[in-house]
C-alpha cells in the first residue's frame, strides 16, 4: 500500500473548511484512528484513492451501490438525463415511473413521496404518523439510527418510562421527551412502555433488521409481536428500510419477515448512488400529506430528474436480473469463509449476514442488541480494520457499521478478501 501522503495533505486542507474535513462524521476514521484515503474514483467493486491505491470496497457508499461503482446502466441514464436539464421544480414522468416501480417492489406501499435523504424520509414519516393519529410520542430502539432529525437523536433516559434524553446538543429536552427508547429484541420492555404510554404513542419507528449497531437480527417472532402490539394500541408501525431496502431482499426485510408496516422509509439503493429517499405506505395514511392533506412536507430537489434516472436504472436492472437473490448466495459463501478464517486463527467473531449485508463482530457471544454490540473488542476491530486496509480491502471504519457487497464483486475479489482476513485475524490473535 502506497503511503497516503496526498490524502493526508488534502485532509489537512479539508479540515480548514469542513468540520472534521468530512461531510459525514463516520468518514473521518475517528473511531479506528488514522487518516482516511481521499477517493479519486470508483469502478465496479473497486475504489481508487488519490495516492494510487486500489481497494475492494465493502462500504459502497454505506449501501447505495448494489450494482457497484459507475455501472453503465446508471451512468448512461444519468448522463442522458443531465443533457435534458438537471432540475425543473415541476413534475416529470420519471417521478411517476420510479414511484410505480417502488410500489411494485414494496407492495405495502400504495403511494410514495420522494425526498432527498433517509433523514428527510424518517423525519417526514414521524410527522405523518403524528398527524394521522393525533398523538405525540414515538418509540425507537436503542442502537437503531434513522438519520439526524431532532426527534431521533435521542437515547434512553433513566427512569421507568425510558423518557428520551438528547443524544446531541441542540436537541431540546421537550423534543426528546416525546421519544421513548427501548432495547432491541426485548419484547417485555416494549410491552411495558405501551402499557404505560400506549394511548399517547403515534408510532414505533424501527429498522426491522438493524444495521447501525452492526447487523443485528430480530429474534423469532419479535417483529410479528411488535406489529400486533401497535395494532392493539392504535399506533402506526414505521419500518425504516433505508439500509435494508433492496439489500436484505428485493422486497426488503418486511418481505423476509412477512410484516406489513403502515409506513416504509427507503433510501440508499433507491437512488442508485444519487440523493433519493422516500416514505410511503397505505393510501389512507398518505392522503394526509400535502397538498392532498394537511401534513406539510416539501423539497426543492425532491424527485430530481437525474436522481430519478439513476434510481429507475438501478432498480430496473436489479429486478430484471434477480440481483438480490444472486447476492444473497454470494454473501453466504463469503461470510462462511470469513468465519472459518477467524476460527482458524482462534479469534472469536460473530458474522451475522442478511441478503447482501454482513458484519464481523469481535465478540464471543451472539450480538442481539446495542449493549452486546458495544461490548465487542474494539481494539481487535481496529487491528483487523487497518490490516485489511493495508492489504487493499476497504471496510466501514467502525465496528457499528454494516458491510455491503455488490454485483460487481467477483470470486477473485472474495478470494483476495478471505486471504487478507486470514492475515488480519492472525494479527488480532498475536495482539492478545
Ligand atoms: P441519510 O440521511 O444518511 O441518507 O439516511 C439516514 C439513515 C436512515 N435510516 C437508516 C436505517 C440508515 O442507515 C441511515 C443512514 N445510514 C448511515 C450508515 N450507518 C449513513 C452513513 C453516514 O451517516 O455517513
Amino acid at each position: 500500500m502506497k503511503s497516503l501522503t496526498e490524502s493526508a495533505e488534502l485532509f489537512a486542507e479539508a479540515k480548514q473548511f469542513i468540520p472534521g474535513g468530512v461531510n459525514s462524521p463516520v468518514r473521518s476514521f475517528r473511531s479506528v484512528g488514522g487518516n482516511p484515503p481521499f477517493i479519486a474514483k470508483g469502478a465496479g467493486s473497486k475504489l481508487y484513492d488519490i495516492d494510487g491505491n486500489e481497494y475492494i470496497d465493502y462500504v459502497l457508499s454505506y449501501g447505495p451501490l448494489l450494482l457497484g461503482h459507475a455501472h453503465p446502466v446508471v451512468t448512461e441514464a444519468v448522463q442522458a438525463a443531465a443533457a435534458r436539464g438537471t432540475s425543473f421544480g415541476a413534475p416529470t414522468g420519471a417521478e411517476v415511473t420510479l414511484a410505480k416501480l417502488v410500489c411494485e417492489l414494496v407492495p405495502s406501499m400504495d403511494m410514495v413521496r420522494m425526498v432527498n435523504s433517509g433523514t428527510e424520509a424518517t423525519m417526514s414519516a414521524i410527522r405523518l404518523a403524528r398527524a394521522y393519529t393525533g398523538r405525540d410520542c414515538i418509540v425507537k430502539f436503542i442502537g437503531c439510527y434513522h438519520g439526524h432529525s431532532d426527534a431521533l437523536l435521542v437515547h434512553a433516559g433513566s427512569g421507568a418510562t425510558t423518557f428520551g434524553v438528547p443524544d446531541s446538543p441542540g436537541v431540546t429536552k421537550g423534543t426528546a421527551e416525546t421519544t421513548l427508547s427501548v432495547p432491541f429484541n426485548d419484547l417485555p420492555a416494549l410491552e411495558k412502555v405501551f402499557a404505560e404510554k400506549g394511548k399517547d404513542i403515534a408510532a414505533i419507528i424501527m429498522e426491522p433488521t438493524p444495521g447501525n449497531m452492526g447487523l443485528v437480527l430480530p429474534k423469532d417472532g419479535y417483529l410479528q409481536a411488535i406489529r400486533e402490539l401497535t395494532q392493539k394500541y392504535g399506533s402506526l408501525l414505521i419500518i425504516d428500510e433505508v439500509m435494508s431496502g433492496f439489500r436484505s431482499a428485493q422486497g426488503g426485510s418486511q418481505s423476509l419477515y412477512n410484516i406489513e408496516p403502515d409506513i416504509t422509509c427507503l433510501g440508499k439503493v433507491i437512488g442508485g448512488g444519487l440523493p433519493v429517499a422516500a416514505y410511503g405506505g397505505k393510501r389512507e395514511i398518505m392522503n394526509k400529506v400535502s397538498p392532498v392533506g394537511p401534513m406539510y412536507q416539501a423539497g426543492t430537489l425532491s424527485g430530481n430528474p437525474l436522481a430519478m434516472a439513476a434510481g429507475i436504472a438501478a432498480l430496473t436492472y436489479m429486478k430484471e436480473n434477480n440481483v438480490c437473490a444472486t447476492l444473497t448466495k454470494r454473501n453466504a459463501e463469503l461470510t462462511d469463509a470469513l468465519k472459518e478464517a477467524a476460527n482458524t486463527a482462534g479469534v472469536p467473531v460473530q458474522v451475522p449476514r442478511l441478503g447482501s449485508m454482513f458484519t464481523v463482530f469481535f465478540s464471543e457471544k451472539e450480538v442481539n442488541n446495542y449493549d452486546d454490540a458495544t461490548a465487542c473488542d474494539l481494539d481487535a476491530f481496529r487491528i483487523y480494520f487497518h490490516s485489511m486496509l493495508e492489504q487493499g480491502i476497504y471496510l466501514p471504519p467502525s465496528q457499528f457499521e454494516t458491510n455491503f457487497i455488490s454485483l460487481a464483486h467477483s470470486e477473485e475479489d472474495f478470494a483476495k478478501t478471505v486471504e487478507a482476513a486470514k492475515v488480519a485475524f492472525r494479527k488480532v490473535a498475536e495482539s492478545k
Side-chain angles (χ1 to χ4, degrees):
M1 178 179 175
K2 301 182 184 76
S3 86
L4 300 179
T5 312
E6 287 190 39
S7 290
E9 285 166 14
L10 200 48
F11 195 33
E13 185 181 7
K15 287 177 185 174
Q16 296 173 50
F17 300 99
I18 307 168
V22 291
N23 284 307
S24 200
V26 69
R27 304 176 193 169
S28 66
F29 274 32
R30 280 233 170 156
S31 66
V32 290
N35 288 339
F38 273 56
I39 303 305
K41 76 166 189 172
S45 61
K46 304 296 186 305
L47 276 180
Y48 300 87
D49 71 21
I50 62 174
D51 293 286
N53 295 301
E54 176 186 294
Y55 307 93
I56 300 170
D57 181 16
Y58 289 94
V59 176
L60 294 170
S61 186
Y62 291 93
L65 304 171
L66 189 74
L67 307 181
H69 291 280
H71 192 291
V73 295
V74 175
T75 52
E76 286 163 16
V78 172
Q79 286 158 354
R84 299 191 294 269
T86 56
S87 184
F88 309 120
T92 63
E95 293 162 85
V96 182
T97 303
L98 187 56
K100 286 166 67 176
L101 184 51
V102 167
C103 292
E104 176 197 337
L105 292 167
V106 187
S108 67
M109 299 171 89
D110 298 335
M111 302 181 83
V112 61
R113 168 62 60 85
M114 301 293 171
V115 293
N116 302 284
S117 71
T119 294
E120 219 184 327
T122 57
M123 175 177 71
S124 307
I126 283 174
R127 186 182 308 137
L128 176 56
R130 286 170 163 161
Y132 183 76
T133 61
R135 300 177 181 181
D136 292 346
C137 289
I138 293 290
V139 174
K140 75 177 287 291
F141 295 95
I142 298 165
C144 287
Y145 176 69
H146 305 286
H148 61 87
S149 64
D150 282 8
L152 292 165
L153 284 184
V154 173
H155 62 263
S158 56
T161 53
T162 63
F163 271 120
V165 294
D167 219 3
S168 161
V171 175
T172 65
K173 189 166 170 293
T175 301
E177 282 184 348
T178 50
T179 300
L180 310 176
S181 296
V182 294
F184 188 75
N185 270 330
D186 181 344
L187 189 56
L190 183 65
E191 287 168 337
K192 186 166 177 294
V193 166
F194 268 85
E196 289 165 359
K197 303 282 291 178
K199 63 179 178 26
D200 301 329
I201 294 173
I204 287 177
I205 183 166
M206 70 181 305
E207 294 180 73
T209 49
N212 285 288
M213 40 184 147
L215 180 62
V216 172
L217 301 180
K219 288 181 181 165
D220 289 350
Y222 180 62
L223 298 182
Q224 284 75 13
I226 287 176
R227 178 70 277 191
E228 287 160 18
L229 199 57
T230 52
Q231 285 164 337
K232 178 180 172 186
Y233 285 91
S235 306
L236 299 189
L237 179 57
I238 303 170
I239 292 275
D240 178 352
E241 301 231 46
V242 167
M243 182 186 291
S244 55
F246 318 115
R247 276 282 178 189
S248 58
Q250 184 168 287
S253 296
Q254 60 190 271
S255 68
L256 283 181
Y257 290 86
N258 197 23
I259 295 291
E260 180 160 286
D262 298 296
I263 301 171
T264 296
C265 299
L266 296 170
K268 296 182 192 277
V269 172
I270 189 178
L274 268 69
V276 183
Y279 67 100
K282 302 294 167 225
R283 190 174 302 280
E284 181 202 354
I285 298 172
M286 292 305 288
N287 279 334
K288 278 279 185 189
V289 178
S290 175
V292 181
M295 183 222 114
Y296 195 69
Q297 180 267 314
T300 302
L301 294 173
S302 296
N304 172 274
L306 272 62
M308 295 296 103
I312 292 164
L315 292 188
T316 302
Y317 190 95
M318 172 197 76
K319 182 185 136 196
E320 291 177 352
N321 294 276
N322 202 19
V323 170
C324 294
T326 300
L327 293 185
T328 296
K329 277 201 293 289
R330 292 184 186 172
N331 194 35
E333 292 159 16
L334 171 64
T335 48
D336 283 348
L338 290 173
K339 175 80 177 163
E340 188 182 336
N343 290 346
T344 304
V347 176
V349 296
Q350 305 297 318
V351 188
R353 67 192 183 220
L354 185 70
S356 54
M357 304 183 287
F358 70 94
T359 292
V360 176
F361 283 116
F362 287 81
S363 169
E364 297 200 7
K365 71 186 188 86
E366 197 175 74
V367 178
N368 288 312
N369 57 41
Y370 186 65
D371 286 347
D372 292 348
T374 51
C376 285
D377 182 344
L378 300 186
D379 291 333
F381 176 79
R382 285 187 197 98
I383 293 166
Y384 167 73
F385 172 84
H386 282 292
S387 172
M388 294 290 267
L389 188 70
E390 284 155 20
Q391 298 180 79
I393 312 297
Y394 190 83
L395 304 176
S398 166
Q399 172 68 99
F400 311 120
E401 292 291 350
T402 294
N403 297 258
F404 303 92
I405 66 171
S406 82
L407 194 62
H409 281 69
S410 64
E411 287 305 315
E412 187 190 352
D413 290 334
F414 291 149
K416 182 178 175 188
T417 303
V418 172
E419 288 311 305
K422 289 175 183 173
V423 172
F425 287 132
R426 276 200 296 275
K427 278 198 171 176
V428 171
E430 288 156 10
S431 73
K432 296 303 170 195

